[in-house]
């Protein structure tokens, strides 16, 4: 029996900026640590094997860092050429070590993430399975919540509308930021305009 191994033939990296409909603010903006978020920068990695199989992955940056993320991804991409795409753990280590002087967190790891996701996408496509089934699913569905419907930059009426929309789509929760103590959003958090039936507050001790 002859065992043949498919190899990575090409690796493409692309960069786009996704502008947001409205600037987004949270507690870090109110405290002056950050500016409102107006766009998200995405780096996409596309891996194609000699057999023509394809995997797609991405990493992202909010506010600063997008061009640096793209530059780092482009620089380490050639490390994958000729490799066996099945060896995902080993290739992750190879990419991390290729940029080890940049550290093992932040921009460097976000760049590696784009390739890591692409490799897992490729593996699932080759198997003809959803990734959850390839890894071994424990359940057929998972609960989720909307993390972007309650930013401090939104009026309360819009937050309530977003909560209704989320519930109508079967999303069981929505993350709502109430802001610093004493602000209008904080004072209105327990008024009838914030119906308990729509959402149940989850205490947070961390800022943001």
């Amino acid at each position: 029996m002859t065992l043949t191994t498919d190899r990575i033939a090409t690796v493409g990296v692309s960069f786009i900026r996704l502008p947001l409909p409205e600037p987004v603010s949270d507690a870090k903006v109110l405290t002056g640590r950050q500016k409102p978020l107006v766009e998200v920068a995405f780096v996409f990695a596309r891996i194609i094997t000699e057999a023509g199989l394809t995997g797609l992955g991405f990493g992202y940056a909010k506010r600063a860092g997008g061009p640096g993320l793209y530059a780092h991804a482009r620089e380490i991409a050639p490390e994958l050429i000729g490799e066996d795409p099945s060896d995902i753990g080993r290739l992750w280590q190879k990419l991390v070590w290729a940029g080890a002087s940049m550290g093992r967190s932040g921009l460097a790891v976000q760049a590696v993430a784009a390739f890591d996701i692409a490799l897992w996408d490729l593996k699932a496509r080759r198997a003809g399975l959803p990734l959850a089934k390839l890894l071994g699913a424990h359940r057929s569905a998972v609960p989720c919540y909307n993390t972007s419907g309650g930013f401090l930059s939104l009026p309360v009426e819009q937050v309530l509308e977003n909560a209704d929309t989320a519930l109508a789509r079967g999303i069981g929760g929505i993350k709502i930021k109430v802001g610093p103590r004493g602000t209008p959003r904080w004072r209105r958090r327990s008024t009838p305009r914030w119906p308990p039936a729509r959402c149940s507050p989850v205490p947070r001790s961390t800022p943001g």
Side-chain angles (χ1 to χ4, degrees):
M1 178 178 177
T2 302
L3 180 64
T4 59
T5 301
D6 195 11
R7 299 284 175 176
I8 295 174
T10 62
V11 181
V13 181
S14 57
F15 176 73
I16 66 167
R17 296 181 186 272
L18 177 65
L20 303 181
E22 300 290 339
V24 170
S25 298
D26 57 16
K28 294 182 289 293
V29 174
L30 292 185
T31 56
R33 288 179 288 171
Q34 291 183 337
K35 295 180 180 179
L37 180 65
V38 298
E39 66 179 14
V40 180
F42 286 93
V43 169
F44 289 93
R46 182 181 177 88
I47 298 174
I48 303 176
T49 70
E50 294 171 348
L53 297 171
T54 301
L56 182 67
F58 71 96
Y60 68 92
K62 297 185 290 185
R63 299 179 177 89
L69 178 65
Y70 178 49
H72 191 74
R74 289 186 62 188
E75 193 167 2
I76 63 176
E79 298 289 333
L80 295 175
I81 300 298
E83 290 283 3
D84 182 347
S86 297
D87 300 339
I88 298 176
R90 181 179 64 81
L91 295 180
W92 186 91
Q93 292 284 349
K94 184 178 183 181
L95 293 175
V96 169
W97 278 107
S101 64
M102 295 299 296
R104 294 189 174 223
S105 63
L107 181 150
V109 176
Q110 281 279 28
V112 173
F115 302 108
D116 189 55
I117 294 171
L119 289 168
W120 280 108
D121 182 48
L122 191 156
K123 193 167 191 174
R125 290 174 184 270
R126 181 169 56 192
L129 293 170
L131 182 56
K133 290 296 185 182
L134 179 68
L135 297 175
H138 288 267
R139 55 187 65 87
S140 60
V142 294
C144 62
Y145 78 103
N146 184 349
T147 187
S148 61
F151 282 107
L152 295 177
S153 52
L154 298 175
V156 171
E157 290 73 17
Q158 183 64 55
V159 175
L160 293 174
E161 181 179 336
N162 291 345
D164 287 337
T165 300
L167 290 173
R169 294 176 60 190
I171 299 174
I174 179 171
K175 182 178 180 180
I176 297 175
K177 299 175 183 290
V178 298
R181 187 182 299 273
T183 59
R185 179 75 71 84
W186 174 273
R187 289 195 296 270
R188 297 183 67 174
R189 75 193 189 283
S190 58
T191 67
R193 294 295 304 282
W194 208 293
R198 289 184 177 176
C199 52
S200 298
V202 178
R204 283 190 62 175
S205 58
T206 55

